[in-house]
Amino acid sequence: DGSIVTISSAGTYVLSGTLSDGQILIDAGDDDIVQLVMNGTDLSCLDSAPIYGVNADEIVLTLAEGTENIISDGTTYSYEADEEEPDAAIFSHDDLDINGSGSLTVNGNYLKGIRSKDDLTIVNGTLNVTAVDDAISGKDGLYIAGGTFVVNAGEDALKSSNDSDTDKGDVHITAGIFSINAGDDAVHAEKNLIIDGGTINIESSTEALEGMTVTVNGGDINLVASDDGINAAGSGLSDDTEQAADTAAGTESTAKDDTTDSAKKQATADTDTKKDMTPPDGGDMTPPNGETMTPPDGEAMTPPDGDTAAASAGDRAGGGFGGGKGGFMDEATDYNYIRITGGTITVDAGGDGIDSNGNLYVSGGNITIYGPTNDGNGPLDYAGTFEITGGTFLAAGSSGMAQNASDGSTQPSLLVYLTSTQEAGTIFTLCDASGTTITSITPIKSCQCILFSTPDMAQGNTYTVKSNDTALCTVTLENIATSISEDGSEVQGGMGGKNPGNMGGERPENADDARPEAGTAPDGTADEMPAGTDMMPPTDGTAPENAPAGGPGGPGSQGGRPGAQGIPGGQDGGSGAQNDSGGNATQ
C-alpha cells in the first residue's frame, strides 16, 4: 500500500535497503510469530512508527551479523480519531524480542524509542537508543540477557510499567554492557527490579535504580543520580487496582504512570485515514530454527519469607545506636525492600544513596556510597531495618539524617560523625589494633559522616579511625552497630529526629506502641539463572501477609521463542520485505 509494507501472516522476512518515509506494519494472526531479519536497513517514518506491530503472537527482530540498522520516526504523529498509539519508533502490542549480533540505532523523535505493551526481551545485539520520552520499555516485563547498550532518554531509560496486574511489571537484567543517561529513572520497575550481572554505568539520572523491590545479586554497577541512587518505593499498583484488590488501604501509591503524553498527541492528531488495519486471515507457520528466547516463567518473584519490613522502636525512634530520623519518617511498608547479595556497586547520589520504604538487607558484594551534602538526605534512608550479614559496605555523606545498621545485623558496623565538614578527597581509614588497614574510603564530595562495615570487623575488637594520616579516635566495638563522634564518644541515636542539631534524636511519645516488631531478614542466597537465554525470575519465597493482593510476581510461561535464523543466500537489493517461510507480504 504505497510506502506501507504489510505483513499479514507468520514467517521470516528479510529487510534491507532504505525506506525514507514508510512503515513495516505487522497485522498477523493471534498465534502467528513474525521474524524480521534486519539485514542493513535504514527505515524512517515521518508521522508514525516505522515498525508497527498491530497484532501477532510475537514479533522477533533479528540483527544480522555485521549489519548496521537505523530506525527513526518524526517529531509529530498523525492519528485517526480517538487514537493514541503507536507512540514509539518500534512499537508492538504483543511480545517483542530482539536478538542477533548486528547493531540497531533507534531515534525516538516523537516520544519513545522501543516499546512493547507485553513482554520485551533482549538477548543480544548492539543497541543505541535515543528518545524524547522513555527509551526501552516493556509494559508487562523487560528482560535483558545480554548486549551492548547506549541509551539516552528524556524520561526513563529502561522501564516496565504495568501497575494493574499484580504479577507483571518486572525488570530483570542478567548480563550486558550499559551506558545510560536518563532525565528521570535510569532503570524503573513497577514491581521487582533484579540485577544478576552486567556492567552498568548510569552517567546521569534523577533516580538510578527504582522498583517496588530492588535485588542486586551481581554485576559491576556505577550509579550517578541527582536524587536517590537505589530506591524501593511504591506498591506496584495504581490506586484503582489497589482498591479493587482490597489491599493496602490508605497506602499512598507512588506507581509511575505509563500513559502517553496525551496533550502532545492531541495537538498533533488529525482525522486523516493513514492506513487500513483490518486484520487479515492468519496462516500456519513453523517457528524458525536457531537460538530460542524463552520468556521468564516459573514461580513469581515475591519478597523473602517473613519480610515484614517493619521497624523497631529503638531503630526508628532514636533509642538505639545509630537510630534513624525520629518521628518524621513514614511507617515502613511490608512490600518494599532492597536486597544486595553480590556485585560491585558505587553510588554518587544528590539525594539518599540507598532509600528503602521498607527494609534493607546486605549479605554480600562491595558497596560504596557517596551520599548527599545536604542534611535533608543521607547516605542511607530506610524505614524498617537494615540488616547486614556480609559484604563490604562503605558510605560517606551529610550527617543530618544519617543512619547506622540495625542491631539485628550479624556483621559489625561503625558510624562516625565528624565535627566539621571534611573536604572531598580526604582518606578515611579504619585500622585494627596492630595498625593494619582494614578498609578505607575516599569521598568524592564533602562529608560529615562515615560508615564502615566489612567481614574483617569483629564485635569486641578495638579499631582506630584515621583522617588522612591523623588518628581521630580509637574505639572498641561493644555493640554490633556502633555510632560515635570523631573523638570516640558514643552517640545515642542519630543526628536526625526532632533535634538534628544535637547528638541523638528526640524520642516521640508512645513510640513503643507506634512501631511494629522488626521483620526477619531473607537468607540472602543469590538466585541462579538457567543457562542460555531462558530468563527465569528468582524465587524468594511467598508474599508477606499484608502485601498487595496476589503479591509481586514474574510473568508466567509463554512457551518457546524463535531465535535468529540464518539469512537466506543471495538476499540483497532494495527496500521491502521478503517472505522466506510462505508468509504473505504485500506492498
Side-chain angles (χ1 to χ4, degrees):
D1 181 15
S3 59
I4 299 176
V5 177
T6 301
I7 296 175
S8 58
S9 61
T12 298
Y13 303 84
V14 179
L15 308 179
S16 61
T18 300
L19 186 60
S20 59
D21 185 15
Q23 185 177 65
I24 306 298
L25 189 147
I26 299 98
D27 198 354
D30 291 344
D31 298 326
D32 288 347
I33 298 176
V34 176
Q35 182 182 29
L36 303 180
V37 178
M38 312 295 288
N39 189 31
T41 304
D42 189 343
L43 176 62
S44 63
C45 186
L46 298 181
D47 60 357
S48 188
I51 296 180
Y52 183 12
V54 177
N55 191 71
D57 176 51
E58 186 173 7
I59 297 173
V60 181
L61 299 184
T62 297
L63 310 177
E65 182 178 1
T67 65
E68 296 182 1
N69 303 277
I70 303 173
I71 307 295
S72 305
D73 63 4
T75 57
T76 60
Y77 276 23
S78 296
Y79 292 104
E80 296 183 4
D82 300 325
E83 287 188 350
E84 292 187 343
E85 294 174 349
D87 61 359
I90 298 176
F91 181 93
S92 176
H93 283 282
D94 303 293
D95 288 342
L96 175 63
D97 301 334
I98 299 175
N99 64 12
S101 60
S103 71
L104 175 64
T105 297
V106 178
N107 299 304
N109 298 309
Y110 174 56
L111 280 177
K112 305 179 191 301
I114 302 172
R115 184 186 181 201
S116 167
K117 295 194 71 176
D118 209 323
D119 288 340
L120 173 56
T121 302
I122 302 174
V123 175
N124 53 7
T126 298
L127 280 71
N128 188 329
V129 182
T130 301
V132 172
D133 195 82
D134 301 332
I136 300 175
S137 174
K139 180 178 180 180
D140 289 352
L142 173 60
Y143 307 94
I144 300 177
T148 300
F149 299 80
V150 176
V151 183
N152 294 280
E155 294 294 330
D156 298 339
L158 309 178
K159 180 178 184 178
S160 183
S161 60
N162 191 315
D163 62 359
S164 59
D165 295 313
T166 58
D167 60 347
K168 297 178 181 179
D170 298 329
V171 174
H172 193 169
I173 299 172
T174 62
I177 301 172
F178 302 82
S179 176
I180 295 175
N181 288 275
D184 196 358
D185 298 343
V187 186
H188 175 87
E190 203 65 36
K191 303 297 192 309
N192 306 292
L193 169 56
I194 300 171
I195 299 175
D196 289 329
T199 299
I200 302 174
N201 290 305
I202 296 176
E203 299 172 0
S204 65
S205 67
T206 299
E207 294 192 338
L209 305 179
E210 182 177 67
M212 186 183 78
T213 74
V214 180
T215 299
V216 179
N217 297 316
D220 187 356
I221 303 169
N222 292 279
L223 310 176
V224 176
S226 60
D227 196 354
D228 299 338
I230 304 176
N231 186 30
S235 69
L237 298 174
S238 66
D239 291 338
D240 291 342
T241 304
E242 285 195 61
Q243 293 171 6
D246 194 25
T247 61
T251 300
E252 179 183 1
S253 172
T254 59
K256 300 185 68 175
D257 188 6
D258 187 50
T259 57
T260 53
D261 189 341
S262 299
K264 181 173 181 180
K265 291 178 174 178
Q266 183 64 33
T268 60
D270 58 43
T271 58
D272 294 340
T273 301
K274 177 171 179 168
K275 47 192 172 288
D276 180 10
M277 294 185 291
T278 303
D281 293 334
D284 294 332
M285 60 88 69
T286 301
N289 295 325
E291 60 175 319
T292 61
M293 296 189 295
T294 304
D297 51 24
E299 297 181 14
M301 291 184 288
T302 55
D305 288 338
D307 187 6
T308 61
S312 67
D315 286 331
R316 300 305 305 140
F321 295 106
K325 302 176 183 179
F328 287 169
M329 281 297 297
D330 294 334
E331 295 290 340
T333 66
D334 55 5
Y335 43 80
N336 297 123
Y337 66 84
I338 296 172
R339 182 167 63 115
I340 301 173
T341 69
T344 299
I345 304 170
T346 302
V347 179
D348 176 3
D352 298 318
I354 292 180
D355 183 353
S356 175
N357 284 4
N359 289 353
L360 168 61
Y361 305 104
V362 175
S363 61
N366 292 282
I367 302 102
T368 303
I369 298 174
Y370 303 117
T373 57
N374 68 84
D375 281 335
N377 294 285
L380 298 176
D381 179 0
Y382 59 90
T385 60
F386 170 24
E387 297 181 8
I388 182 165
T389 58
T392 296
F393 195 100
L394 304 173
S398 58
S399 61
M401 306 295 277
Q403 292 178 278
N404 200 345
S406 301
D407 292 337
S409 301
T410 60
Q411 177 172 294
S413 61
L414 175 63
L415 176 62
V416 182
Y417 291 98
L418 305 169
T419 56
S420 62
T421 301
Q422 299 298 299
E423 296 180 352
T426 303
I427 303 172
F428 293 94
T429 306
L430 186 69
C431 300
D432 64 13
S434 68
T436 301
T437 297
I438 299 297
T439 189
S440 66
I441 181 173
T442 305
I444 62 175
K445 296 179 284 187
S446 61
C447 64
Q448 282 194 312
C449 74
I450 302 293
L451 176 62
F452 301 100
S453 182
T454 82
D456 296 326
M457 297 167 62
Q459 188 175 358
N461 285 2
T462 299
Y463 299 93
T464 298
V465 179
K466 292 183 177 181
S467 172
N468 292 326
D469 294 327
T470 301
L472 298 179
C473 63
T474 297
V475 58
T476 298
L477 302 184
E478 301 290 350
N479 302 286
I480 199 71
T482 302
S483 298
I484 61 172
S485 63
E486 71 173 54
D487 63 3
S489 59
E490 186 176 83
V491 175
Q492 297 288 336
M495 295 293 288
K498 295 183 180 179
N499 189 9
N502 298 326
M503 292 290 185
E506 181 178 336
R507 186 183 183 88
E509 296 181 0
N510 301 320
D512 291 329
D513 296 332
R515 305 299 187 201
E517 295 180 357
T520 302
D523 58 15
T525 303
D527 301 298
E528 296 183 358
M529 291 293 295
T533 61
D534 185 14
M535 292 176 287
M536 181 180 294
T539 57
D540 297 318
T542 58
E545 180 178 354
N546 296 321
S557 174
Q558 299 184 30
R561 296 176 183 247
Q565 174 167 324
I567 300 171
Q571 305 295 340
D572 56 16
S575 63
Q578 176 168 344
N579 178 5
D580 190 49
S581 297
N584 180 25
T586 60
Q587 180 171 1

